[in-house]
Amino acid sequence: MTEEDGSTGTIKRESFGRLSDGREALLFTLTNKNGMELKLTDFGAAVVSIIAPELSDGRKDMVLGFDDVSGYEATGLYLGATIGRYAGQIKNGSFEIRGAKYDLYRNDHGNTLHGGEKGFDKRLFSAAISEKSNEVVFTYFSPDMEEGFPGNLSVSSGYTLTEDNKVIIRFQAKSDRDTVLNMTNHCYYNLDGHDSGNVMGHSLRICAENYLKVGEDCAPDGEILPVEGSPMDFRTAHAIGDYIEEEDRQLAICGGYDHNWNIDHYGEGMRECAELTGASGRRSLRVFSDLPGLQMYSGNYLNEEETGKGGIRYGFREALCLEPQFYPNAPCYKHFPSPFLKAGETFDHSIVLEFKYKSR
């Protein structure tokens, strides 16, 4: 490929449209020898598409998204985005570090959600391509007190597509002041295709004995509960729709699943968090991470209001999110794994998405 066609090596680079302020966003396409394809944009350091190789039922795009950057700029759904500075809620929009209180923008039930009014999902990142490793690394400088968070923070969100069908996501960051940080990826998965309808027939297994109870404001209230005997028990794989309509206060508060599972064996490095299989059985995803929690969200607020790729309107529960992260609301609870990042220390965490394919 040549500079003239907007590509570098095996990674294609092209325009993804312009933001409302006139800046151009870019689309990057990575492929591997199996025909798997990963599309990324520098706006929000977001995943636009994960396209499976050709199988007996066709070639499927397994994540929700938009055809150009205007959709990502307008949406409040965080589709595919890198989330920060803090994924999930911070209760009452405030936290303390060494007696100093920091107040944040409150955008969800009186809490701060996914970084506030303008989180990383609404920022234009810089991009660097590594042809040798089939990787794109997005970087962003978040100045001190942006959205109320202390510290000049340099962050990177890197995506690698491997020849054995893994997507490796690596987050790195460093701050010049003590701060809090919780980064994740917010892909909406439908392994049967982004346009294939609801995911209630997808099978899910989550490697967790416990989960976080949420209060009436949808934020964790500090209580850790066992999954056993509840609709939150995914230790053995079963369909997402099996128990989602049960009379259960936790499900009622969130309109379905939107909870953090405390992934087993935190502190032991990379370990399996979850395994998802599409209803067709042809495509599956195993999620690995070194982070302590996994937020699973069953697409309860998808409502066909926004038009996605190919003119598709994404409806109720037509995708789900699997987000490895520190616990939501962790700055408020000392018994949760600490999300505090000390000045000069490096935040360095990874997520591995391992895709498997079979025809039948």
Side-chain angles (χ1 to χ4, degrees):
M1 297 181 179
T2 66
E3 286 293 324
E4 285 74 18
D5 65 11
S7 304
T8 303
T10 59
I11 299 176
K12 183 180 180 182
R13 182 183 61 207
E14 59 192 309
S15 177
F16 199 46
R18 293 193 177 273
L19 297 167
S20 57
D21 63 7
R23 290 178 298 166
E24 183 180 35
L26 298 175
L27 181 71
F28 301 85
T29 303
L30 293 70
T31 57
N32 69 10
K33 64 183 179 182
N34 305 311
M36 185 174 165
E37 193 170 273
L38 172 65
K39 291 180 180 287
L40 309 164
T41 179
D42 52 359
F43 185 72
V47 174
V48 174
S49 296
I50 302 177
I51 300 175
E54 184 82 24
L55 299 177
S56 58
D57 61 345
R59 186 167 161 81
K60 302 292 186 180
D61 185 346
M62 300 178 291
V63 298
L64 274 54
F66 298 100
D67 287 326
D68 59 49
V69 73
S70 64
Y72 291 91
E73 185 176 25
T75 187
L77 298 176
Y78 308 96
L79 267 65
T82 292
I83 301 299
R85 287 190 186 192
Y86 202 92
Q89 301 97 340
I90 296 178
K91 192 173 181 64
N92 297 324
S94 68
F95 63 92
E96 292 188 3
I97 298 178
R98 297 181 182 177
K101 184 180 179 183
Y102 297 93
D103 292 313
L104 314 172
Y105 185 85
R106 302 176 185 183
N107 59 332
D108 181 72
H109 297 88
N111 306 313
T112 300
L113 178 69
H114 292 340
E117 183 178 22
K118 190 176 180 181
F120 291 171
D121 62 298
K122 299 300 184 189
R123 305 293 178 177
L124 188 64
F125 285 62
S126 298
I129 291 172
S130 172
E131 177 184 342
K132 182 177 179 180
S133 58
N134 206 21
E135 178 185 42
V136 179
V137 177
F138 299 106
T139 57
Y140 175 68
F141 176 75
S142 178
D144 182 39
M145 300 309 294
E146 183 173 73
E147 291 296 319
F149 292 92
N152 290 299
L153 184 75
S154 297
V155 302
S156 69
S157 179
Y159 294 89
T160 304
L161 176 61
T162 71
E163 296 297 349
D164 57 352
N165 301 328
K166 294 185 181 75
V167 176
I168 300 171
I169 307 171
R170 185 177 183 184
F171 302 116
Q172 292 183 300
K174 188 173 285 188
S175 173
D176 65 355
R177 294 176 63 189
D178 290 356
T179 192
V180 297
L181 185 64
N182 186 19
M183 296 174 67
T184 192
N185 173 269
H186 207 295
C187 272
Y188 285 70
Y189 300 102
N190 187 325
L191 299 186
D192 294 326
H194 77 105
D195 54 356
S196 65
N198 77 64
V199 293
M200 294 301 96
H202 278 47
S203 175
L204 179 64
R205 175 173 58 86
I206 300 178
C207 305
E209 299 282 339
N210 301 291
Y211 76 101
L212 299 184
K213 176 175 169 285
V214 299
E216 296 298 316
D217 61 354
C218 300
D221 64 5
E223 191 170 355
I224 298 172
L225 298 178
V227 299
E228 186 172 4
S230 80
M232 307 298 172
D233 192 349
F234 284 90
R235 292 174 296 175
T236 300
H238 64 81
I240 295 163
D242 280 353
Y243 308 110
I244 199 168
E245 299 297 343
E246 284 197 357
E247 291 188 11
D248 179 271
R249 187 58 194 158
Q250 286 295 292
L251 292 175
I253 289 170
C254 298
Y257 295 111
D258 194 3
H259 297 77
N260 179 91
W261 276 257
N262 304 354
I263 301 303
D264 300 336
H265 307 297
Y266 174 54
E268 299 181 11
M270 295 292 292
R271 71 257 190 257
E272 187 176 17
C273 300
E275 182 176 20
L276 179 69
T277 303
S280 72
R282 293 180 175 91
R283 299 165 197 84
S284 63
L285 165 63
R286 294 174 72 195
V287 180
F288 299 82
S289 180
D290 56 1
L291 289 156
L294 177 79
Q295 189 81 9
M296 190 271 277
Y297 165 57
S298 54
N300 313 313
Y301 303 116
L302 295 172
N303 57 14
E304 298 188 355
E305 285 189 358
E306 295 174 272
T307 302
K309 289 177 285 192
I312 299 299
R313 289 189 173 270
Y314 299 129
F316 184 56
R317 295 177 180 164
E318 290 189 354
L320 77 151
C321 302
L322 298 170
E323 307 159 60
Q325 58 182 8
F326 280 96
Y327 298 176
N329 214 13
C332 300
Y333 298 110
K334 292 182 179 180
H335 61 289
F336 286 0
S338 175
F340 290 90
L341 179 66
K342 292 183 179 179
E345 290 189 352
T346 299
F347 181 98
D348 190 348
H349 293 283
S350 297
I351 299 168
V352 176
L353 309 175
E354 181 182 84
F355 292 88
K356 299 288 187 181
Y357 309 112
K358 62 182 180 180
S359 292
R360 69 178 191 184

